[in-house]
DNA sequence: CAGTGAGCGAGCTTCCGCTTGACTT
């Protein structure tokens, strides 16, 4: 007999709590949800008030049995799952599965894992909030209906094994739309003017920028012309105080963003490292949307700040969450023991821990105080002004430990101290430059900036950000890639104060632009699926869909709406639309007509084929069979031009004859190759299949033949198909398209044919490897 | 290792949100 059984969601949490409570308490974990909708079919009876069919998940059978046994023996069972919608549902499912007298079960909640908080919770038990449970059931059922009705539609109309859902489809949409926005962006050039000035007799330089930007090179030229015989004057000096405040403590989303920017971690990597830190008891729970710190955390942080930096660095702050739909069942992510500035562990763990430590400490520190100075410089022959701005740090405050990064990669020049100046003092210029710049489109998403956007829209939860990002990449809707940029030429106009008589200097400079590092790009399939869903299911694809159903879930939680009724209102029209689309819509291949082949006049189109994106020349019902060619890596249906398509049809290409047989070049699955006598010879990086010569192909054939010859250690006259070869992993025997390992006891170069045959016979048939989930 | 693009059909795929190990190479 045990006195009390306490059930929480996470085993790490169970371990800590067990330490706080006495011997009369056994603390166990449910490992999250214990039941879910049946996986076969829908798992929902749509004709009977959407009655869900719940089953104990396979991986939870063991734990459920254990909890059942313990619960039977206990006098009281305390269900202490999180205080949010999912937590309440977990509590209800547990109650159902444990199948106990209701009087034996008590529902408790606590927000801090301290002895006091837990004992207080135990003094104030309540019963399970059925309305909140119903809100969760509505959420679960809606997601299942959307996912399990839209996905099969895609299998039929686009490609098997695809998926769609309330969250993932909108995440893909963000990326598809951003890509189109970037492709459609019309970059405009403009001129930015900056100058270097000095007070006669002094040698300190004052850098200043013109607030006006010029759109045409002529305007910039005219302005510099005016500057050349202008007088410059310090028009005004303005000083004003400024301050910077620290960012809130980490949530899952902000941790993922900062770990990506500062440490270069992927979203999944951040979560895996954080999980290890959590399990070692070093940080609090890492899946949270709360920016709140416990009283204990704030007081230990205060101590740490006072002793390390001094009283004037301390400023206790309460942060409020801005995220839509935040449920705040946990604390913010922080070190468990704030006095530990560093930890032992792997390099990744140390770095992430230090980031969390700094962010937590900084959040309770004073503002940084600055003095900002603007010097306004007038130009006698123009009404424009140059402005020099500087910034001096008066008090560093939280900046002593932590500076938050931003996504904007616009290099902001470090503003520093300005040289001393007097109002109305005359200035001379050392040089004035007009530099050509270009307007740029919104940046492509990184994994972390996509999470940030999803959080803003209220789509997804802390526990699903990382898995969702993985799903859309696994389905190949989206690909994370580094792409090289392009080069462009910019014009720089200069006048020099040392030589006021000479003409305006003009030089051209090359600059790189548009390169992307680890950014998310939509694939052809991603775009096609997005357009298909957008065309037929606008409501679900709307960025506000989640926010609006969340409002209805809140109504259910408040007991104002019946959950099955709410689902019914949604499902009626939705299901009809699914049926209609299944019946009437054509298969979606993303087909685009590019134009006609100038040589034959046949139409050329691009679309998704059985093996991926391809171009087609001619129609299927023509007398002559149409020609096909796959798109190359990096090309996409959306952006392929007729010219590029024609290039694709130039292969395979015949180079001529060698040893009485034809040599051809083409591009295969593994890149460009030359083919001769049914043997393949890979082209090298420097070879272009469109221009490579017969001579070069023959050279490659020669090289490979020598290599092949060197591979052969032994061959036998009596058995031409049996060879002893030198491979990547050492010598081996090749026979009948199978490879055999040579025992260590034998010297490969001395093997006789008989010995080889013996080895082959003794080698057992390898069972063909089967793919398991 | 190496261009494939027909059609039929069985049997499979799929959602979101809680939580961590456990299959093998």
């Amino acid at each position: 007999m045990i006195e009390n059984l306490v059930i929480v969601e996470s085993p790490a949490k169970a371990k800590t709590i067990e330490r706080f409570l006495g011997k009369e308490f056994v603390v166990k974990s449910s490992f999250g949800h214990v039941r879910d909708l049946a996986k076969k079919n829908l798992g929902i009876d749509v004709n009977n008030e959407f009655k869900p069919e719940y089953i104990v998940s396979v991986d939870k059978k063991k734990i459920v049995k254990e909890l059942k046994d313990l619960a039977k023996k206990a006098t009281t069972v305390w269900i202490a799952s999180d205080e949010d919608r999912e937590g309440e549902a977990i509590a209800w499912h547990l109650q159902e599965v444990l199948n106990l007298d209701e009087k034996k079960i008590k529902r408790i909640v606590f927000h801090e894992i301290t002895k006091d908080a837990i004992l207080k919770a135990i003094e104030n038990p309540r019963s399970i909030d059925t309305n909140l449970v119903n809100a969760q059931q509505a959420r679960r059922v809606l997601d299942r209906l959307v996912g399990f009705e839209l996905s099969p539609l895609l299998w039929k109309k686009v490609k098997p094994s695809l998926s769609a859902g309330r969250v993932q489809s909108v995440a893909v949409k963000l990326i598809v739309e951003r890509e189109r926005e970037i492709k459609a962006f019309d970059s405009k050039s403009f001129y930015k003017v900056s100058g270097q000035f000095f007070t006669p007799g002094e040698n300190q330089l004052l850098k200043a920028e013109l607030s006006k930007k010029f759109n045409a090179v002529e305007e910039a030229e005219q302005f510099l012309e005016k500057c050349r015989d202008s007088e410059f004057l310090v028009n005004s000096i303005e000083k004003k105080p400024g301050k910077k405040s620290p960012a809130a403590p980490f949530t899952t989303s902000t941790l993922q963003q900062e770990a990506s920017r500062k440490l270069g971690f992927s979203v999944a990597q951040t979560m895996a490292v954080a999980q290890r830190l959590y399990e070692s008891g070093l940080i609090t729970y890492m899946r949270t949307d709360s920016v709140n710190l416990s009283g204990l955390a704030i007081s230990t942080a205060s101590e740490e700040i006072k002793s390390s930096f001094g009283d004037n660095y301390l400023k206790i702050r309460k942060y409020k969450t801005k995220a839509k739909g935040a449920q705040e069942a946990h604390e913010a992510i922080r070190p468990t023991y704030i006095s530990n500035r560093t930890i032992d562990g792997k390099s990744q763990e140390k770095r992430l821990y230090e980031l969390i430590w700094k962010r937590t400490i900084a959040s309770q520190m004073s503002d940084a105080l600055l003095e900002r100075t603007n010097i306004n410089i007038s130009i006698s022959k123009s009404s424009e002004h140059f402005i020099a701005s500087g910034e001096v740090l008066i008090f560093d405050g939280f900046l002593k430990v932590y500076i938050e990064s931003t996504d904007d990669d616009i290099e902001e020049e470090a503003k520093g101290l300005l040289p001393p100046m007097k109002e109305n003092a005359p200035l001379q210029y050392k040089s004035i430059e007009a530099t050509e710049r270009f307007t740029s489109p919104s940046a492509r998403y990184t994994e972390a900036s996509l999470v940030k956007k999803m959080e803003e829209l209220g789509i997804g939860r802390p526990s699903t950000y990382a898995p969702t990002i993985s799903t859309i990449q696994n389905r190949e809707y989206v690909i994370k890639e580094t792409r090289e940029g392009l080069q462009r030429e910019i014009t720089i106009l200069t006048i020099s104060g040392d030589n006021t008589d000479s003409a305006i200097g003009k030089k051209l400079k090359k600059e790189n632009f548009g390169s992307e590092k680890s950014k998310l790009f939509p694939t052809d399939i991603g775009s096609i699926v997005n357009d298909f869903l957008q065309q037929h299911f606008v409501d679900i694809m709307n960025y506000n869909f989640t926010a609006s159903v969340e409002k209805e879930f809140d109504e259910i939680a408040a007991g104002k709406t019946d959950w099955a009724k709410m689902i019914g209102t949604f499902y009626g029209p939705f299901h009809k639309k699914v049926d209609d689309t299944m019946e009437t819509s054509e298969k979606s291949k993303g087909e685009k007509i590019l134009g006609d082949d100038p040589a034959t006049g046949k139409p050329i189109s691009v679309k998704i084929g059985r093996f991926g994106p391809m171009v087609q020349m001619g129609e299927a019902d023509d007398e002559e069979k149409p020609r096909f060619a796959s798109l190359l890596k990096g090309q996409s249906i959306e952006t392929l031009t007729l010219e590029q398509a024609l290039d694709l049809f130039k292969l395979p290409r015949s180079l001529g004859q060698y040893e009485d047989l034809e040599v051809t070049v083409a591009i295969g699955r593994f890149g460009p190759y030359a083919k001769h006598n049914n043997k393949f010879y890979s082209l090298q990086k420097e070879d272009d299949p469109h221009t490579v010569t017969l001579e070069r192909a023959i050279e490659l054939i020669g090289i490979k033949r020598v290599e092949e010859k060197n591979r052969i250690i032994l061959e036998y006259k009596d058995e031409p198909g049996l060879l002893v070869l030198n491979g990547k992993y050492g010598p081996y025997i090749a026979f009948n398209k199978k490879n055999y390992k040579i025992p260590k006891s034998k010297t490969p170069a001395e093997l006789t044919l008989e010995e080889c045959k013996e080895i082959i016979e003794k080698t057992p048939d390898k069972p063909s490897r089967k793919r398991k989930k």
Side-chain angles (χ1 to χ4, degrees):
Chain A
M1 199 65 191
I2 48 174
E3 205 59 33
N4 297 285
L5 173 65
V6 182
I7 305 176
V8 295
E9 289 183 36
S10 140
K13 203 169 168 182
K15 241 187 345 196
T16 345
I17 294 172
E18 194 149 45
R19 282 207 314 267
F20 292 141
L21 298 169
K23 264 187 279 173
E24 312 89 81
F25 287 86
V26 173
V27 188
K28 287 282 165 189
S29 137
S30 74
F31 293 79
H33 273 293
V34 291
R35 293 202 306 183
D36 192 17
L37 295 174
K39 270 216 184 319
K40 295 267 167 202
N41 306 323
L42 259 188
I44 298 164
D45 188 348
V46 292
N47 298 317
N48 184 16
E49 300 212 292
F50 303 96
K51 196 173 186 317
E53 184 194 339
Y54 292 118
I55 55 170
V56 174
S57 326
V58 251
D59 52 332
K60 298 294 164 56
K61 289 224 161 105
K62 209 175 133 194
I63 185 72
V64 166
K65 188 179 178 303
E66 194 188 338
L67 291 176
K68 259 180 159 173
D69 292 346
L70 285 168
K72 237 182 257 167
K73 290 187 229 157
T75 326
T76 310
V77 178
W78 307 86
I79 301 184
S81 48
D82 299 342
E83 189 183 28
D84 58 14
R85 203 163 60 202
E86 296 299 327
E88 203 65 18
I90 289 174
W92 176 74
H93 280 296
L94 280 169
Q95 189 183 50
E96 295 274 300
V97 194
L98 297 179
N99 197 17
L100 293 173
D101 183 354
E102 259 188 59
K103 278 181 229 145
K104 250 178 90 168
I105 293 189
K106 295 204 160 95
R107 167 83 170 118
I108 52 167
V109 290
F110 42 82
H111 302 110
E112 276 181 47
I113 308 181
T114 57
K115 194 172 179 173
D116 277 357
I118 296 160
L119 292 178
K120 208 172 264 172
I122 285 180
E123 281 166 28
N124 300 294
R126 59 170 173 84
S127 54
I128 287 170
D129 180 347
T130 316
N131 289 331
L132 195 52
V133 173
N134 286 342
Q136 193 274 348
Q137 298 203 88
R139 199 279 305 155
R140 181 68 191 91
V141 166
L142 178 93
D143 283 336
R144 171 56 69 87
L145 290 172
V146 170
F148 275 38
E149 296 217 351
L150 286 186
S151 300
L153 195 56
L154 294 179
W155 305 342
K156 187 87 192 219
K157 300 298 179 187
V158 185
K159 204 178 120 172
S161 300
L162 295 177
S163 65
R166 174 177 58 83
V167 173
Q168 59 168 284
S169 297
V170 178
V172 173
K173 180 177 164 183
L174 283 167
I175 292 162
V176 171
E177 291 199 332
R178 176 61 54 88
E179 190 66 26
R180 289 183 180 157
E181 196 186 308
I182 290 168
K183 288 274 151 62
F185 188 80
D186 184 15
S187 181
K188 293 217 163 60
S189 101
F190 62 92
Y191 285 81
K192 213 173 146 181
V193 183
S194 64
Q196 291 183 303
F197 300 89
F198 61 96
T199 314
E202 306 271 344
N203 52 10
Q204 264 186 305
L205 285 175
L206 179 67
K207 275 190 178 175
E209 293 200 346
L210 195 74
S211 39
K212 166 127 179 126
K213 293 176 174 59
F214 299 105
N215 290 325
V217 65
E218 293 79 17
E219 290 172 50
E221 231 159 347
Q222 280 164 17
F223 175 75
L224 289 190
E225 206 62 63
K226 278 185 199 164
C227 281
R228 203 148 51 158
D229 28 54
S230 273
E231 275 149 30
F232 299 90
L233 216 60
V234 175
N235 192 37
S236 69
I237 301 174
E238 197 178 76
K239 287 189 180 184
K240 52 181 178 195
K243 66 169 187 177
K244 283 181 183 161
S245 302
F250 278 134
T251 60
T252 304
S253 147
T254 52
L255 177 70
Q256 289 171 346
Q257 289 161 45
E258 279 287 270
S260 160
R261 291 185 288 234
K262 285 204 157 90
L263 311 177
F265 288 5
S266 74
V267 162
Q269 204 179 355
T270 300
M271 293 314 282
V273 177
Q275 176 87 28
R276 288 205 296 273
L277 292 174
Y278 169 66
E279 283 171 13
S280 320
L282 296 168
I283 60 168
T284 55
Y285 198 56
M286 64 283 151
R287 291 186 274 263
T288 176
D289 52 19
S290 169
V291 286
N292 196 41
L293 294 177
S294 71
L296 182 73
I298 290 178
S299 67
T300 51
S302 304
E303 284 313 306
E304 181 67 27
I305 293 163
K306 279 195 273 183
S307 69
S308 295
F309 312 112
D311 287 12
N312 53 338
Y313 278 89
L314 176 67
K315 183 175 179 189
I316 290 173
R317 301 163 193 267
K318 281 268 176 197
Y319 293 88
K320 268 208 175 135
T321 179
K322 277 178 262 166
K324 242 187 221 178
Q327 308 205 1
E328 308 199 63
H330 304 94
E331 259 190 87
I333 305 170
R334 62 161 174 93
T336 320
Y337 306 105
I338 293 174
S339 50
N340 293 345
R341 197 173 190 141
T342 52
I343 54 154
D344 288 330
K346 289 185 193 153
S347 145
Q348 286 189 339
E349 293 164 14
K350 282 184 179 172
R351 290 164 74 205
L352 192 69
Y353 180 86
E354 275 163 39
L355 190 66
I356 294 170
W357 186 88
K358 287 179 177 172
R359 176 88 165 210
T360 309
I361 286 285
S363 79
Q364 300 304 320
M365 288 176 74
S366 321
D367 290 336
L369 301 177
L370 312 157
E371 186 182 74
R372 297 197 170 108
T373 307
N374 281 335
I375 298 179
N376 187 304
I377 302 165
S378 63
I379 311 161
S380 63
K381 297 210 164 168
S382 163
S383 56
E384 305 298 334
H385 295 269
F386 277 98
I387 292 176
S389 45
E391 212 172 74
V392 185
L393 197 61
I394 311 258
F395 176 65
D396 54 359
F398 77 96
L399 291 179
K400 214 176 185 81
V401 294
Y402 189 87
I403 301 169
E404 193 186 25
S405 322
T406 57
D407 283 326
D408 309 324
D409 41 8
I410 304 160
E411 14 46 271
E412 257 194 40
E413 268 182 59
K415 290 178 181 167
L417 193 62
L418 296 180
M421 289 282 155
K422 283 199 182 104
E423 278 193 20
N424 293 321
L427 290 173
Q428 284 180 13
Y429 68 89
K430 183 169 185 289
S431 67
I432 300 177
E433 261 188 8
T435 309
E436 188 177 15
R437 290 286 154 92
F438 290 86
T439 54
S440 46
S442 315
R444 289 192 176 84
Y445 287 106
T446 60
E447 288 189 350
S449 69
L450 182 63
V451 168
K452 183 182 181 188
K453 185 73 193 173
M454 287 169 66
E455 187 186 38
E456 277 169 25
L457 294 169
I459 297 165
R461 302 277 311 129
S463 67
T464 59
Y465 294 138
T468 303
I469 300 276
S470 301
T471 301
I472 61 176
Q473 292 180 69
N474 288 339
R475 297 262 177 275
E476 295 178 336
Y477 290 151
V478 161
I479 185 164
K480 183 166 78 176
E481 262 182 349
T482 296
R483 291 192 188 170
E484 269 177 43
L486 301 166
Q487 260 199 349
R488 67 183 163 206
E489 212 162 53
I490 59 167
T491 308
I492 301 172
L493 306 173
T494 322
I495 55 171
S496 165
D498 301 337
N499 194 356
T500 44
D501 293 334
S502 70
I504 294 175
K506 190 170 186 176
K507 59 181 175 188
L508 297 175
K509 205 177 123 192
K510 289 210 164 116
E511 73 170 12
N512 290 321
F513 74 101
S515 72
E516 293 282 25
K517 209 177 152 228
S518 287
K519 293 287 173 67
L520 299 173
F521 294 83
T523 63
D524 285 319
I525 276 290
S527 305
I528 289 171
V529 166
N530 177 69
D531 293 352
F532 179 85
L533 293 173
Q534 187 67 41
Q535 188 190 337
H536 300 288
F537 300 92
V538 224
D539 298 351
I540 289 168
M541 295 298 279
N542 190 315
Y543 290 128
N544 288 320
F545 179 72
T546 293
S548 80
V549 291
E550 279 290 340
K551 260 190 206 152
E552 300 191 59
F553 297 152
D554 288 346
E555 297 265 293
I556 296 166
K560 290 181 194 153
T561 312
D562 178 70
W563 81 264
K565 230 181 221 163
M566 181 242 146
I567 294 294
T569 317
F570 163 79
Y571 185 69
F574 169 72
H575 182 70
K576 187 174 179 309
K577 186 80 202 172
V578 171
D579 277 352
D580 287 353
T581 311
M582 188 67 99
E583 205 144 293
T584 58
S585 115
E586 294 251 318
K587 201 162 175 189
S588 203
K589 292 176 181 166
E591 183 163 5
K592 261 178 68 187
I593 310 285
L594 294 180
D596 294 334
D597 176 28
T600 61
K602 286 185 178 178
I604 293 180
S605 61
V606 56
K607 63 181 173 188
I608 289 271
R610 272 212 296 161
F611 311 102
M614 62 169 195
V615 283
Q616 177 175 343
M617 187 194 289
E619 315 262 10
D621 46 10
D622 282 356
E623 231 172 83
E624 226 178 315
K625 253 185 93 177
R627 284 185 67 197
F628 302 100
S630 288
L631 265 58
L632 300 178
K633 214 182 148 231
Q635 292 183 326
S636 77
I637 291 183
E638 215 147 304
T639 57
L640 197 81
T641 60
L642 180 62
E643 263 191 340
Q644 290 172 317
L646 290 171
D647 272 346
L648 293 170
F649 285 118
K650 285 184 182 153
L651 298 173
R653 188 166 72 96
S654 177
L655 295 184
Q657 301 273 314
Y658 175 56
E659 294 173 348
D660 295 334
L661 289 164
E662 195 183 26
V663 180
T664 56
V665 282
I667 296 175
R669 275 216 292 158
F670 310 101
Y673 63 88
K675 194 174 166 190
H676 175 252
N677 194 14
N678 271 327
K679 279 190 179 153
F680 296 87
Y681 304 89
S682 290
L683 297 191
Q684 300 300 303
K685 249 197 186 149
E686 64 269 23
D687 301 316
D688 179 344
H690 293 289
T691 55
V692 76
T693 58
L694 180 63
E695 286 68 39
R696 172 66 177 154
I698 293 170
E699 189 187 337
L700 288 169
I701 293 171
I703 293 170
K704 187 153 182 202
R705 281 182 182 171
V706 172
E707 271 174 16
E708 295 249 294
K709 209 167 177 193
N710 290 341
R711 271 179 64 216
I712 300 171
I713 299 172
L714 289 171
E715 48 190 334
Y716 305 96
K717 271 187 202 140
D718 300 338
E719 192 66 76
L722 197 155
L723 296 167
V724 179
L725 297 172
N726 213 345
K728 216 168 37 175
Y729 310 109
Y732 66 99
I733 298 167
F735 182 60
N736 264 347
K737 293 195 172 174
K738 274 188 187 168
N739 299 335
Y740 302 87
K741 212 172 136 184
I742 298 168
K744 285 228 169 79
S745 55
K746 311 265 189 203
T747 310
E750 292 168 8
L751 284 171
T752 62
L753 184 56
E754 283 66 38
E755 283 175 317
C756 287
K757 286 190 168 167
E758 200 184 309
I759 291 169
I760 290 169
E761 246 158 63
K762 278 189 183 162
T763 305
D765 271 348
K766 260 196 200 161
S768 63
R769 267 188 297 176
K770 267 192 185 171
R771 268 190 63 215
K772 246 178 141 184
K773 226 190 159 187

